[in-house]
Amino acid sequence: RCLRKDRRTRLPDIGAARLELQDVLSGTAADPADADGRAATTAEMQRLTRERGLWVAAFLVAAAVAAILGVRQVTQTPRARPALHFSLDMSDEVRVSSWGGPAVSPDGLRVAFVAGPTDEPPRLMIRSLQSRASRALSGTEGAAGPFWSPDGKSLGYFAGRELRKVSLASGDVQRICTLPPGGLVPALP
């Protein structure tokens, strides 16, 4: 009965087969064509069908909730930020490097640029867009082409044929690598 093709007459699991074998050994076995045997198998099949139906329903509910949350996330309007306008006013004694231009931080709240007095090498400067004062980063003399790290915690720049980075929290300058002659960066100061 375990190998019957018709699943209505096949035993549902090994536990049912064990019970059938015990009945045969004890001499109380029912005729395989007996209605009670078929009723028990049919009841087991109905139970399995109900159980599978509940699992399918639970999956469909979970999928519907996920779809609703996904659509809600996509259609939600982003929080509006006010537009910021700024200008970098420099005195005549300060020169601004033209190579690389200013770099705006990933959060859009700060700008980094290269500037300095005309009698000194240029260095990295940072200015908050909410302030009028700029801050010079020590150890960045001769900098050019500033760029922000993706997390906004450090600035990369070129100086003396090297790629360097400066941590904004500690002010530590780290040499990343030496650039090849005639490489990526045109005519560094």
Side-chain angles (χ1 to χ4, degrees):
R1 290 189 51 202
C2 292
L3 300 176
R4 289 188 181 166
K5 288 186 179 184
D6 184 8
R7 61 183 201 175
R8 290 177 291 172
T9 61
R10 183 174 53 224
L11 291 175
D13 57 22
I14 194 67
R18 185 179 65 84
L19 292 174
E20 290 285 327
L21 288 174
Q22 282 179 344
D23 287 346
V24 169
L25 292 175
S26 67
T28 61
D31 185 12
D34 186 42
D36 290 337
R38 280 181 282 172
T41 303
T42 304
E44 181 66 23
M45 293 306 290
Q46 288 174 347
R47 184 190 66 80
L48 288 174
T49 302
R50 277 193 308 271
E51 188 176 301
R52 288 181 189 138
L54 289 174
W55 280 108
V56 168
F59 173 76
L60 290 176
V61 167
V65 168
I68 288 170
L69 291 176
V71 167
R72 185 175 175 199
Q73 181 71 22
V74 169
T75 59
Q76 203 172 38
T77 57
R79 182 173 52 110
R81 286 187 171 179
L84 293 175
H85 300 280
F86 73 96
S87 63
L88 294 174
D89 297 325
M90 300 291 173
S91 68
D92 291 337
E93 295 86 35
V94 174
R95 66 183 165 133
V96 177
S97 173
S98 61
W99 191 85
V104 179
S105 65
D107 61 5
L109 299 177
R110 297 172 290 176
V111 64
F113 56 96
V114 178
T118 54
D119 57 343
E120 295 178 16
R123 68 177 60 185
L124 281 178
M125 309 281 282
I126 293 183
R127 178 174 164 194
S128 170
L129 297 182
Q130 299 166 348
S131 166
R132 297 190 68 84
S134 299
R135 176 174 64 111
L137 298 176
S138 62
T140 62
E141 292 78 13
F147 56 93
W148 289 88
S149 65
D151 61 4
K153 294 182 180 180
S154 61
L155 275 168
Y157 65 97
F158 301 96
R161 287 284 182 212
E162 292 180 344
L163 175 61
R164 300 178 186 174
K165 81 171 186 175
V166 60
S167 169
L168 298 179
S170 66
D172 294 335
V173 175
Q174 180 182 0
R175 180 182 157 272
I176 304 297
C177 68
T178 302
L179 299 173
L184 305 171
V185 183
L188 286 175

